[in-house]
PDB file of all heavy atoms in Angstrom:
ATOM      1  N   LEU A 173    -106.581 147.830 -31.401  1.00  0.00           N
ATOM      2  CA  LEU A 173    -107.410 148.943 -30.954  1.00  0.00           C
ATOM      3  C   LEU A 173    -106.757 150.254 -31.419  1.00  0.00           C
ATOM      4  O   LEU A 173    -105.541 150.346 -31.509  1.00  0.00           O
ATOM      5  CB  LEU A 173    -107.536 148.924 -29.431  1.00  0.00           C
ATOM      6  CG  LEU A 173    -108.072 147.624 -28.818  1.00  0.00           C
ATOM      7  CD1 LEU A 173    -108.179 147.751 -27.302  1.00  0.00           C
ATOM      8  CD2 LEU A 173    -109.427 147.232 -29.420  1.00  0.00           C
ATOM      9  N   PRO A 174    -107.569 151.265 -31.710  1.00  0.00           N
ATOM     10  CA  PRO A 174    -107.004 152.491 -32.268  1.00  0.00           C
ATOM     11  C   PRO A 174    -106.029 153.195 -31.329  1.00  0.00           C
ATOM     12  O   PRO A 174    -106.204 153.200 -30.115  1.00  0.00           O
ATOM     13  CB  PRO A 174    -108.252 153.352 -32.477  1.00  0.00           C
ATOM     14  CG  PRO A 174    -109.401 152.412 -32.556  1.00  0.00           C
ATOM     15  CD  PRO A 174    -109.059 151.290 -31.641  1.00  0.00           C
ATOM     16  N   THR A 175    -105.008 153.738 -31.918  1.00  0.00           N
ATOM     17  CA  THR A 175    -104.090 154.628 -31.191  1.00  0.00           C
ATOM     18  C   THR A 175    -104.889 155.768 -30.586  1.00  0.00           C
ATOM     19  O   THR A 175    -105.831 156.260 -31.212  1.00  0.00           O
ATOM     20  CB  THR A 175    -102.989 155.156 -32.135  1.00  0.00           C
ATOM     21  OG1 THR A 175    -102.290 154.033 -32.695  1.00  0.00           O
ATOM     22  CG2 THR A 175    -102.042 156.066 -31.441  1.00  0.00           C
ATOM     23  N   ALA A 176    -104.478 156.243 -29.412  1.00  0.00           N
ATOM     24  CA  ALA A 176    -105.191 157.334 -28.770  1.00  0.00           C
ATOM     25  C   ALA A 176    -105.310 158.523 -29.704  1.00  0.00           C
ATOM     26  O   ALA A 176    -104.314 158.943 -30.317  1.00  0.00           O
ATOM     27  CB  ALA A 176    -104.456 157.762 -27.507  1.00  0.00           C
ATOM     28  N   PRO A 177    -106.486 159.121 -29.863  1.00  0.00           N
ATOM     29  CA  PRO A 177    -106.653 160.220 -30.819  1.00  0.00           C
ATOM     30  C   PRO A 177    -105.804 161.439 -30.520  1.00  0.00           C
ATOM     31  O   PRO A 177    -105.334 162.117 -31.438  1.00  0.00           O
ATOM     32  CB  PRO A 177    -108.160 160.541 -30.724  1.00  0.00           C
ATOM     33  CG  PRO A 177    -108.625 159.976 -29.405  1.00  0.00           C
ATOM     34  CD  PRO A 177    -107.739 158.792 -29.167  1.00  0.00           C
ATOM     35  N   PHE A 178    -105.543 161.720 -29.257  1.00  0.00           N
ATOM     36  CA  PHE A 178    -104.706 162.867 -28.903  1.00  0.00           C
ATOM     37  C   PHE A 178    -103.237 162.617 -29.282  1.00  0.00           C
ATOM     38  O   PHE A 178    -102.489 163.555 -29.538  1.00  0.00           O
ATOM     39  CB  PHE A 178    -104.833 163.253 -27.436  1.00  0.00           C
ATOM     40  CG  PHE A 178    -104.829 162.129 -26.484  1.00  0.00           C
ATOM     41  CD1 PHE A 178    -103.677 161.585 -25.991  1.00  0.00           C
ATOM     42  CD2 PHE A 178    -106.051 161.582 -26.030  1.00  0.00           C
ATOM     43  CE1 PHE A 178    -103.679 160.537 -25.097  1.00  0.00           C
ATOM     44  CE2 PHE A 178    -106.074 160.526 -25.138  1.00  0.00           C
ATOM     45  CZ  PHE A 178    -104.872 160.003 -24.668  1.00  0.00           C
ATOM     46  N   VAL A 179    -102.838 161.353 -29.341  1.00  0.00           N
ATOM     47  CA  VAL A 179    -101.516 161.008 -29.842  1.00  0.00           C
ATOM     48  C   VAL A 179    -101.447 161.254 -31.345  1.00  0.00           C
ATOM     49  O   VAL A 179    -100.488 161.869 -31.859  1.00  0.00           O
ATOM     50  CB  VAL A 179    -101.167 159.549 -29.500  1.00  0.00           C
ATOM     51  CG1 VAL A 179     -99.866 159.109 -30.241  1.00  0.00           C
ATOM     52  CG2 VAL A 179    -101.002 159.392 -27.992  1.00  0.00           C
ATOM     53  N   ILE A 180    -102.465 160.822 -32.075  1.00  0.00           N
ATOM     54  CA  ILE A 180    -102.522 161.052 -33.513  1.00  0.00           C
ATOM     55  C   ILE A 180    -102.505 162.564 -33.793  1.00  0.00           C
ATOM     56  O   ILE A 180    -101.807 163.051 -34.695  1.00  0.00           O
ATOM     57  CB  ILE A 180    -103.781 160.405 -34.120  1.00  0.00           C
ATOM     58  CG1 ILE A 180    -103.746 158.880 -33.931  1.00  0.00           C
ATOM     59  CG2 ILE A 180    -103.932 160.802 -35.575  1.00  0.00           C
ATOM     60  CD1 ILE A 180    -102.654 158.180 -34.703  1.00  0.00           C
ATOM     61  N   ASP A 181    -103.276 163.322 -33.014  1.00  0.00           N
ATOM     62  CA  ASP A 181    -103.338 164.774 -33.212  1.00  0.00           C
ATOM     63  C   ASP A 181    -101.974 165.422 -32.994  1.00  0.00           C
ATOM     64  O   ASP A 181    -101.611 166.347 -33.727  1.00  0.00           O
ATOM     65  CB  ASP A 181    -104.358 165.381 -32.259  1.00  0.00           C
ATOM     66  CG  ASP A 181    -105.815 165.055 -32.623  1.00  0.00           C
ATOM     67  OD1 ASP A 181    -106.032 164.608 -33.782  1.00  0.00           O
ATOM     68  OD2 ASP A 181    -106.687 165.225 -31.772  1.00  0.00           O
ATOM     69  N   ALA A 182    -101.230 164.959 -31.999  1.00  0.00           N
ATOM     70  CA  ALA A 182     -99.917 165.534 -31.708  1.00  0.00           C
ATOM     71  C   ALA A 182     -98.939 165.267 -32.851  1.00  0.00           C
ATOM     72  O   ALA A 182     -98.161 166.132 -33.223  1.00  0.00           O
ATOM     73  CB  ALA A 182     -99.369 164.966 -30.407  1.00  0.00           C
ATOM     74  N   VAL A 183     -99.004 164.061 -33.409  1.00  0.00           N
ATOM     75  CA  VAL A 183     -98.141 163.736 -34.563  1.00  0.00           C
ATOM     76  C   VAL A 183     -98.541 164.568 -35.732  1.00  0.00           C
ATOM     77  O   VAL A 183     -97.667 165.122 -36.461  1.00  0.00           O
ATOM     78  CB  VAL A 183     -98.238 162.215 -34.881  1.00  0.00           C
ATOM     79  CG1 VAL A 183     -97.492 161.904 -36.185  1.00  0.00           C
ATOM     80  CG2 VAL A 183     -97.654 161.406 -33.733  1.00  0.00           C
ATOM     81  N   ARG A 184     -99.829 164.696 -35.970  1.00  0.00           N
ATOM     82  CA  ARG A 184    -100.321 165.504 -37.115  1.00  0.00           C
ATOM     83  C   ARG A 184     -99.868 166.967 -36.934  1.00  0.00           C
ATOM     84  O   ARG A 184     -99.453 167.607 -37.940  1.00  0.00           O
ATOM     85  CB  ARG A 184    -101.837 165.404 -37.152  1.00  0.00           C
ATOM     86  CG  ARG A 184    -102.454 166.090 -38.387  1.00  0.00           C
ATOM     87  CD  ARG A 184    -103.952 165.935 -38.413  1.00  0.00           C
ATOM     88  NE  ARG A 184    -104.317 164.556 -38.711  1.00  0.00           N
ATOM     89  CZ  ARG A 184    -105.007 163.768 -37.854  1.00  0.00           C
ATOM     90  NH1 ARG A 184    -105.338 164.242 -36.646  1.00  0.00           N
ATOM     91  NH2 ARG A 184    -105.331 162.544 -38.205  1.00  0.00           N
ATOM     92  N   GLU A 185     -99.923 167.498 -35.724  1.00  0.00           N
ATOM     93  CA  GLU A 185     -99.484 168.880 -35.521  1.00  0.00           C
ATOM     94  C   GLU A 185     -97.987 169.029 -35.810  1.00  0.00           C
ATOM     95  O   GLU A 185     -97.572 170.011 -36.430  1.00  0.00           O
ATOM     96  CB  GLU A 185     -99.798 169.293 -34.061  1.00  0.00           C
ATOM     97  CG  GLU A 185     -99.401 170.735 -33.776  1.00  0.00           C
ATOM     98  CD  GLU A 185     -99.724 171.126 -32.359  1.00  0.00           C
ATOM     99  OE1 GLU A 185    -100.429 170.352 -31.647  1.00  0.00           O
ATOM    100  OE2 GLU A 185     -99.274 172.215 -31.933  1.00  0.00           O
ATOM    101  N   ARG A 186     -97.177 168.061 -35.379  1.00  0.00           N
ATOM    102  CA  ARG A 186     -95.735 168.148 -35.647  1.00  0.00           C
ATOM    103  C   ARG A 186     -95.480 168.128 -37.162  1.00  0.00           C
ATOM    104  O   ARG A 186     -94.510 168.720 -37.647  1.00  0.00           O
ATOM    105  CB  ARG A 186     -95.012 167.004 -34.929  1.00  0.00           C
ATOM    106  CG  ARG A 186     -93.517 166.954 -35.200  1.00  0.00           C
ATOM    107  CD  ARG A 186     -92.810 168.220 -34.748  1.00  0.00           C
ATOM    108  NE  ARG A 186     -91.380 168.172 -35.035  1.00  0.00           N
ATOM    109  CZ  ARG A 186     -90.837 168.488 -36.208  1.00  0.00           C
ATOM    110  NH1 ARG A 186     -91.609 168.877 -37.244  1.00  0.00           N
ATOM    111  NH2 ARG A 186     -89.518 168.447 -36.376  1.00  0.00           N
ATOM    112  N   LEU A 187     -96.308 167.379 -37.884  1.00  0.00           N
ATOM    113  CA  LEU A 187     -96.141 167.292 -39.338  1.00  0.00           C
ATOM    114  C   LEU A 187     -96.437 168.584 -40.077  1.00  0.00           C
ATOM    115  O   LEU A 187     -96.166 168.677 -41.284  1.00  0.00           O
ATOM    116  CB  LEU A 187     -96.996 166.149 -39.883  1.00  0.00           C
ATOM    117  CG  LEU A 187     -96.504 164.743 -39.617  1.00  0.00           C
ATOM    118  CD1 LEU A 187     -97.569 163.704 -39.973  1.00  0.00           C
ATOM    119  CD2 LEU A 187     -95.214 164.464 -40.393  1.00  0.00           C
ATOM    120  N   GLN A 188     -96.969 169.575 -39.363  1.00  0.00           N
ATOM    121  CA  GLN A 188     -97.222 170.869 -40.007  1.00  0.00           C
ATOM    122  C   GLN A 188     -95.893 171.560 -40.318  1.00  0.00           C
ATOM    123  O   GLN A 188     -95.847 172.432 -41.203  1.00  0.00           O
ATOM    124  CB  GLN A 188     -98.091 171.768 -39.097  1.00  0.00           C
ATOM    125  CG  GLN A 188     -99.476 171.211 -38.830  1.00  0.00           C
ATOM    126  CD  GLN A 188    -100.210 170.874 -40.114  1.00  0.00           C
ATOM    127  OE1 GLN A 188    -100.383 171.709 -40.976  1.00  0.00           O
ATOM    128  NE2 GLN A 188    -100.618 169.608 -40.221  1.00  0.00           N
ATOM    129  N   HIS A 189     -94.828 171.184 -39.593  1.00  0.00           N
ATOM    130  CA  HIS A 189     -93.511 171.739 -39.940  1.00  0.00           C
ATOM    131  C   HIS A 189     -92.926 170.931 -41.095  1.00  0.00           C
ATOM    132  O   HIS A 189     -92.986 169.694 -41.061  1.00  0.00           O
ATOM    133  CB  HIS A 189     -92.567 171.705 -38.726  1.00  0.00           C
ATOM    134  CG  HIS A 189     -91.353 172.525 -38.905  1.00  0.00           C
ATOM    135  ND1 HIS A 189     -90.296 172.104 -39.669  1.00  0.00           N
ATOM    136  CD2 HIS A 189     -91.024 173.785 -38.460  1.00  0.00           C
ATOM    137  CE1 HIS A 189     -89.351 173.051 -39.684  1.00  0.00           C
ATOM    138  NE2 HIS A 189     -89.794 174.092 -38.970  1.00  0.00           N
ATOM    139  N   PRO A 190     -92.308 171.593 -42.074  1.00  0.00           N
ATOM    140  CA  PRO A 190     -91.875 170.876 -43.261  1.00  0.00           C
ATOM    141  C   PRO A 190     -90.578 170.060 -43.128  1.00  0.00           C
ATOM    142  O   PRO A 190     -90.173 169.416 -44.079  1.00  0.00           O
ATOM    143  CB  PRO A 190     -91.671 172.017 -44.287  1.00  0.00           C
ATOM    144  CG  PRO A 190     -91.324 173.178 -43.457  1.00  0.00           C
ATOM    145  CD  PRO A 190     -92.128 173.074 -42.204  1.00  0.00           C
ATOM    146  N   ILE A 191     -89.930 170.095 -41.958  1.00  0.00           N
ATOM    147  CA  ILE A 191     -88.687 169.357 -41.804  1.00  0.00           C
ATOM    148  C   ILE A 191     -88.777 168.411 -40.597  1.00  0.00           C
ATOM    149  O   ILE A 191     -89.160 168.807 -39.505  1.00  0.00           O
ATOM    150  CB  ILE A 191     -87.473 170.331 -41.600  1.00  0.00           C
ATOM    151  CG1 ILE A 191     -87.309 171.214 -42.819  1.00  0.00           C
ATOM    152  CG2 ILE A 191     -86.206 169.536 -41.311  1.00  0.00           C
ATOM    153  CD1 ILE A 191     -86.237 172.262 -42.670  1.00  0.00           C
ATOM    154  N   LEU A 192     -88.391 167.163 -40.845  1.00  0.00           N
ATOM    155  CA  LEU A 192     -88.329 166.142 -39.791  1.00  0.00           C
ATOM    156  C   LEU A 192     -86.865 165.786 -39.618  1.00  0.00           C
ATOM    157  O   LEU A 192     -86.388 164.742 -40.069  1.00  0.00           O
ATOM    158  CB  LEU A 192     -89.160 164.927 -40.173  1.00  0.00           C
ATOM    159  CG  LEU A 192     -90.651 165.164 -40.374  1.00  0.00           C
ATOM    160  CD1 LEU A 192     -91.314 163.874 -40.879  1.00  0.00           C
ATOM    161  CD2 LEU A 192     -91.306 165.637 -39.099  1.00  0.00           C
ATOM    162  N   GLY A 193     -86.153 166.635 -38.908  1.00  0.00           N
ATOM    163  CA  GLY A 193     -84.695 166.438 -38.745  1.00  0.00           C
ATOM    164  C   GLY A 193     -84.306 165.773 -37.447  1.00  0.00           C
ATOM    165  O   GLY A 193     -85.162 165.406 -36.630  1.00  0.00           O
ATOM    166  N   TYR A 194     -82.999 165.546 -37.282  1.00  0.00           N
ATOM    167  CA  TYR A 194     -82.480 165.029 -36.017  1.00  0.00           C
ATOM    168  C   TYR A 194     -82.970 165.924 -34.878  1.00  0.00           C
ATOM    169  O   TYR A 194     -82.926 167.155 -35.024  1.00  0.00           O
ATOM    170  CB  TYR A 194     -80.959 164.995 -36.024  1.00  0.00           C
ATOM    171  CG  TYR A 194     -80.351 164.078 -37.055  1.00  0.00           C
ATOM    172  CD1 TYR A 194     -79.384 164.550 -37.929  1.00  0.00           C
ATOM    173  CD2 TYR A 194     -80.761 162.748 -37.141  1.00  0.00           C
ATOM    174  CE1 TYR A 194     -78.804 163.708 -38.868  1.00  0.00           C
ATOM    175  CE2 TYR A 194     -80.188 161.888 -38.080  1.00  0.00           C
ATOM    176  CZ  TYR A 194     -79.227 162.372 -38.950  1.00  0.00           C
ATOM    177  OH  TYR A 194     -78.656 161.547 -39.876  1.00  0.00           O
ATOM    178  N   THR A 195     -83.394 165.333 -33.797  1.00  0.00           N
ATOM    179  CA  THR A 195     -84.073 166.087 -32.753  1.00  0.00           C
ATOM    180  C   THR A 195     -83.500 165.780 -31.363  1.00  0.00           C
ATOM    181  O   THR A 195     -83.417 164.604 -30.972  1.00  0.00           O
ATOM    182  CB  THR A 195     -85.591 165.766 -32.769  1.00  0.00           C
ATOM    183  OG1 THR A 195     -86.089 166.021 -34.074  1.00  0.00           O
ATOM    184  CG2 THR A 195     -86.328 166.616 -31.763  1.00  0.00           C
ATOM    185  N   ARG A 196     -83.130 166.818 -30.635  1.00  0.00           N
ATOM    186  CA  ARG A 196     -82.782 166.655 -29.236  1.00  0.00           C
ATOM    187  C   ARG A 196     -84.071 166.549 -28.416  1.00  0.00           C
ATOM    188  O   ARG A 196     -85.143 166.942 -28.884  1.00  0.00           O
ATOM    189  CB  ARG A 196     -81.942 167.827 -28.759  1.00  0.00           C
ATOM    190  CG  ARG A 196     -80.586 167.909 -29.395  1.00  0.00           C
ATOM    191  CD  ARG A 196     -79.711 168.977 -28.735  1.00  0.00           C
ATOM    192  NE  ARG A 196     -78.373 169.029 -29.314  1.00  0.00           N
ATOM    193  CZ  ARG A 196     -77.389 169.756 -28.877  1.00  0.00           C
ATOM    194  NH1 ARG A 196     -77.570 170.566 -27.819  1.00  0.00           N
ATOM    195  NH2 ARG A 196     -76.193 169.736 -29.451  1.00  0.00           N
ATOM    196  N   THR A 197     -83.944 166.012 -27.217  1.00  0.00           N
ATOM    197  CA  THR A 197     -85.140 165.827 -26.393  1.00  0.00           C
ATOM    198  C   THR A 197     -85.810 167.184 -26.133  1.00  0.00           C
ATOM    199  O   THR A 197     -85.230 168.074 -25.527  1.00  0.00           O
ATOM    200  CB  THR A 197     -84.789 165.176 -25.049  1.00  0.00           C
ATOM    201  OG1 THR A 197     -84.120 163.958 -25.293  1.00  0.00           O
ATOM    202  CG2 THR A 197     -86.027 164.929 -24.231  1.00  0.00           C
ATOM    203  N   PRO A 198     -87.038 167.346 -26.556  1.00  0.00           N
ATOM    204  CA  PRO A 198     -87.766 168.601 -26.311  1.00  0.00           C
ATOM    205  C   PRO A 198     -88.032 168.755 -24.803  1.00  0.00           C
ATOM    206  O   PRO A 198     -88.364 167.794 -24.123  1.00  0.00           O
ATOM    207  CB  PRO A 198     -89.074 168.427 -27.084  1.00  0.00           C
ATOM    208  CG  PRO A 198     -88.794 167.322 -28.084  1.00  0.00           C
ATOM    209  CD  PRO A 198     -87.818 166.421 -27.395  1.00  0.00           C
ATOM    210  N   GLU A 199     -87.902 169.959 -24.324  1.00  0.00           N
ATOM    211  CA  GLU A 199     -88.188 170.187 -22.898  1.00  0.00           C
ATOM    212  C   GLU A 199     -89.602 169.771 -22.522  1.00  0.00           C
ATOM    213  O   GLU A 199     -89.799 169.206 -21.424  1.00  0.00           O
ATOM    214  CB  GLU A 199     -87.928 171.671 -22.535  1.00  0.00           C
ATOM    215  CG  GLU A 199     -86.463 172.058 -22.596  1.00  0.00           C
ATOM    216  CD  GLU A 199     -86.241 173.525 -22.201  1.00  0.00           C
ATOM    217  OE1 GLU A 199     -87.236 174.169 -21.778  1.00  0.00           O
ATOM    218  OE2 GLU A 199     -85.123 173.996 -22.356  1.00  0.00           O
ATOM    219  N   PRO A 200     -90.612 170.004 -23.354  1.00  0.00           N
ATOM    220  CA  PRO A 200     -91.947 169.551 -22.964  1.00  0.00           C
ATOM    221  C   PRO A 200     -92.045 168.034 -22.769  1.00  0.00           C
ATOM    222  O   PRO A 200     -92.839 167.561 -21.951  1.00  0.00           O
ATOM    223  CB  PRO A 200     -92.818 170.012 -24.147  1.00  0.00           C
ATOM    224  CG  PRO A 200     -92.081 171.177 -24.714  1.00  0.00           C
ATOM    225  CD  PRO A 200     -90.633 170.829 -24.581  1.00  0.00           C
ATOM    226  N   ALA A 201     -91.247 167.268 -23.521  1.00  0.00           N
ATOM    227  CA  ALA A 201     -91.283 165.807 -23.351  1.00  0.00           C
ATOM    228  C   ALA A 201     -90.746 165.404 -22.007  1.00  0.00           C
ATOM    229  O   ALA A 201     -91.322 164.595 -21.297  1.00  0.00           O
ATOM    230  CB  ALA A 201     -90.484 165.124 -24.479  1.00  0.00           C
ATOM    231  N   ALA A 202     -89.607 165.985 -21.612  1.00  0.00           N
ATOM    232  CA  ALA A 202     -88.994 165.666 -20.330  1.00  0.00           C
ATOM    233  C   ALA A 202     -89.896 166.060 -19.185  1.00  0.00           C
ATOM    234  O   ALA A 202     -90.090 165.296 -18.219  1.00  0.00           O
ATOM    235  CB  ALA A 202     -87.645 166.341 -20.220  1.00  0.00           C
ATOM    236  N   ARG A 203     -90.509 167.251 -19.277  1.00  0.00           N
ATOM    237  CA  ARG A 203     -91.432 167.704 -18.206  1.00  0.00           C
ATOM    238  C   ARG A 203     -92.617 166.779 -18.115  1.00  0.00           C
ATOM    239  O   ARG A 203     -93.096 166.458 -17.032  1.00  0.00           O
ATOM    240  CB  ARG A 203     -91.853 169.148 -18.474  1.00  0.00           C
ATOM    241  CG  ARG A 203     -90.784 170.187 -18.222  1.00  0.00           C
ATOM    242  CD  ARG A 203     -91.404 171.566 -18.090  1.00  0.00           C
ATOM    243  NE  ARG A 203     -92.184 171.938 -19.241  1.00  0.00           N
ATOM    244  CZ  ARG A 203     -91.705 172.583 -20.326  1.00  0.00           C
ATOM    245  NH1 ARG A 203     -90.433 172.888 -20.360  1.00  0.00           N
ATOM    246  NH2 ARG A 203     -92.483 172.889 -21.349  1.00  0.00           N
ATOM    247  N   ALA A 204     -93.133 166.381 -19.281  1.00  0.00           N
ATOM    248  CA  ALA A 204     -94.321 165.516 -19.304  1.00  0.00           C
ATOM    249  C   ALA A 204     -94.017 164.184 -18.624  1.00  0.00           C
ATOM    250  O   ALA A 204     -94.852 163.681 -17.837  1.00  0.00           O
ATOM    251  CB  ALA A 204     -94.790 165.273 -20.731  1.00  0.00           C
ATOM    252  N   PHE A 205     -92.836 163.612 -18.853  1.00  0.00           N
ATOM    253  CA  PHE A 205     -92.523 162.331 -18.237  1.00  0.00           C
ATOM    254  C   PHE A 205     -92.377 162.496 -16.729  1.00  0.00           C
ATOM    255  O   PHE A 205     -92.916 161.705 -15.968  1.00  0.00           O
ATOM    256  CB  PHE A 205     -91.245 161.760 -18.826  1.00  0.00           C
ATOM    257  CG  PHE A 205     -90.829 160.468 -18.155  1.00  0.00           C
ATOM    258  CD1 PHE A 205     -91.414 159.271 -18.564  1.00  0.00           C
ATOM    259  CD2 PHE A 205     -89.935 160.442 -17.104  1.00  0.00           C
ATOM    260  CE1 PHE A 205     -91.079 158.068 -17.925  1.00  0.00           C
ATOM    261  CE2 PHE A 205     -89.590 159.268 -16.478  1.00  0.00           C
ATOM    262  CZ  PHE A 205     -90.178 158.078 -16.876  1.00  0.00           C
ATOM    263  N   VAL A 206     -91.640 163.506 -16.316  1.00  0.00           N
ATOM    264  CA  VAL A 206     -91.417 163.723 -14.860  1.00  0.00           C
ATOM    265  C   VAL A 206     -92.764 163.935 -14.155  1.00  0.00           C
ATOM    266  O   VAL A 206     -92.996 163.376 -13.064  1.00  0.00           O
ATOM    267  CB  VAL A 206     -90.467 164.923 -14.634  1.00  0.00           C
ATOM    268  CG1 VAL A 206     -90.454 165.347 -13.189  1.00  0.00           C
ATOM    269  CG2 VAL A 206     -89.058 164.566 -15.107  1.00  0.00           C
ATOM    270  N   ASP A 207     -93.632 164.723 -14.762  1.00  0.00           N
ATOM    271  CA  ASP A 207     -94.959 164.942 -14.145  1.00  0.00           C
ATOM    272  C   ASP A 207     -95.802 163.658 -14.150  1.00  0.00           C
ATOM    273  O   ASP A 207     -96.508 163.395 -13.169  1.00  0.00           O
ATOM    274  CB  ASP A 207     -95.687 166.048 -14.905  1.00  0.00           C
ATOM    275  CG  ASP A 207     -95.071 167.423 -14.692  1.00  0.00           C
ATOM    276  OD1 ASP A 207     -94.260 167.570 -13.762  1.00  0.00           O
ATOM    277  OD2 ASP A 207     -95.409 168.333 -15.460  1.00  0.00           O
ATOM    278  N   TRP A 208     -95.710 162.918 -15.251  1.00  0.00           N
ATOM    279  CA  TRP A 208     -96.499 161.682 -15.330  1.00  0.00           C
ATOM    280  C   TRP A 208     -96.084 160.649 -14.287  1.00  0.00           C
ATOM    281  O   TRP A 208     -96.936 160.065 -13.606  1.00  0.00           O
ATOM    282  CB  TRP A 208     -96.331 161.072 -16.730  1.00  0.00           C
ATOM    283  CG  TRP A 208     -96.843 159.671 -16.858  1.00  0.00           C
ATOM    284  CD1 TRP A 208     -98.139 159.277 -16.975  1.00  0.00           C
ATOM    285  CD2 TRP A 208     -96.036 158.437 -16.813  1.00  0.00           C
ATOM    286  NE1 TRP A 208     -98.220 157.896 -17.038  1.00  0.00           N
ATOM    287  CE2 TRP A 208     -96.942 157.374 -16.938  1.00  0.00           C
ATOM    288  CE3 TRP A 208     -94.678 158.194 -16.698  1.00  0.00           C
ATOM    289  CZ2 TRP A 208     -96.517 156.042 -16.942  1.00  0.00           C
ATOM    290  CZ3 TRP A 208     -94.252 156.884 -16.693  1.00  0.00           C
ATOM    291  CH2 TRP A 208     -95.165 155.827 -16.820  1.00  0.00           C
ATOM    292  N   ILE A 209     -94.789 160.473 -14.088  1.00  0.00           N
ATOM    293  CA  ILE A 209     -94.349 159.428 -13.145  1.00  0.00           C
ATOM    294  C   ILE A 209     -94.606 159.852 -11.693  1.00  0.00           C
ATOM    295  O   ILE A 209     -94.908 159.047 -10.841  1.00  0.00           O
ATOM    296  CB  ILE A 209     -92.878 159.082 -13.401  1.00  0.00           C
ATOM    297  CG1 ILE A 209     -92.618 157.616 -12.947  1.00  0.00           C
ATOM    298  CG2 ILE A 209     -91.888 160.027 -12.748  1.00  0.00           C
ATOM    299  CD1 ILE A 209     -91.388 157.007 -13.536  1.00  0.00           C
ATOM    300  N   ARG A 210     -94.577 161.166 -11.447  1.00  0.00           N
ATOM    301  CA  ARG A 210     -94.952 161.642 -10.102  1.00  0.00           C
ATOM    302  C   ARG A 210     -96.459 161.486  -9.891  1.00  0.00           C
ATOM    303  O   ARG A 210     -96.900 161.020  -8.845  1.00  0.00           O
ATOM    304  CB  ARG A 210     -94.549 163.102  -9.943  1.00  0.00           C
ATOM    305  CG  ARG A 210     -94.856 163.648  -8.524  1.00  0.00           C
ATOM    306  CD  ARG A 210     -94.425 165.074  -8.347  1.00  0.00           C
ATOM    307  NE  ARG A 210     -95.177 165.990  -9.202  1.00  0.00           N
ATOM    308  CZ  ARG A 210     -94.658 166.667 -10.214  1.00  0.00           C
ATOM    309  NH1 ARG A 210     -93.398 166.565 -10.534  1.00  0.00           N
ATOM    310  NH2 ARG A 210     -95.430 167.476 -10.939  1.00  0.00           N
ATOM    311  N   HIS A 211     -97.263 161.867 -10.870  1.00  0.00           N
ATOM    312  CA  HIS A 211     -98.702 161.749 -10.792  1.00  0.00           C
ATOM    313  C   HIS A 211     -99.160 160.299 -10.663  1.00  0.00           C
ATOM    314  O   HIS A 211    -100.048 159.981  -9.858  1.00  0.00           O
ATOM    315  CB  HIS A 211     -99.353 162.390 -12.024  1.00  0.00           C
ATOM    316  CG  HIS A 211    -100.829 162.175 -12.135  1.00  0.00           C
ATOM    317  ND1 HIS A 211    -101.742 162.926 -11.462  1.00  0.00           N
ATOM    318  CD2 HIS A 211    -101.558 161.269 -12.846  1.00  0.00           C
ATOM    319  CE1 HIS A 211    -102.976 162.516 -11.745  1.00  0.00           C
ATOM    320  NE2 HIS A 211    -102.880 161.507 -12.579  1.00  0.00           N
ATOM    321  N   SER A 212     -98.535 159.428 -11.431  1.00  0.00           N
ATOM    322  CA  SER A 212     -98.978 158.027 -11.492  1.00  0.00           C
ATOM    323  C   SER A 212     -98.468 157.185 -10.321  1.00  0.00           C
ATOM    324  O   SER A 212     -99.214 156.299  -9.833  1.00  0.00           O
ATOM    325  CB  SER A 212     -98.507 157.408 -12.811  1.00  0.00           C
ATOM    326  OG  SER A 212     -99.021 158.096 -13.907  1.00  0.00           O
TER     327      SER A 212
END
């Protein structure tokens, strides 16, 4: 089944930056997880 379209869109948006380097955990990712597990 297709990957969620908003997931594809998020990856596509990140690809607008020309460098895919080593990455520390982005603050939005940590906040999203904490909010998701509380909500769910």
Side-chain angles (χ1 to χ4, degrees):
L173 305 181
T175 301
F178 43 84
V179 170
I180 298 294
D181 289 344
V183 172
R184 186 178 290 117
E185 181 179 351
R186 177 60 182 83
L187 285 169
Q188 297 308 303
H189 194 282
I191 298 176
L192 298 175
Y194 297 128
T195 304
R196 294 189 177 186
T197 303
E199 291 182 8
R203 288 198 303 271
F205 178 83
V206 169
D207 290 346
W208 168 79
I209 207 162
R210 183 179 65 248
H211 171 82
S212 301

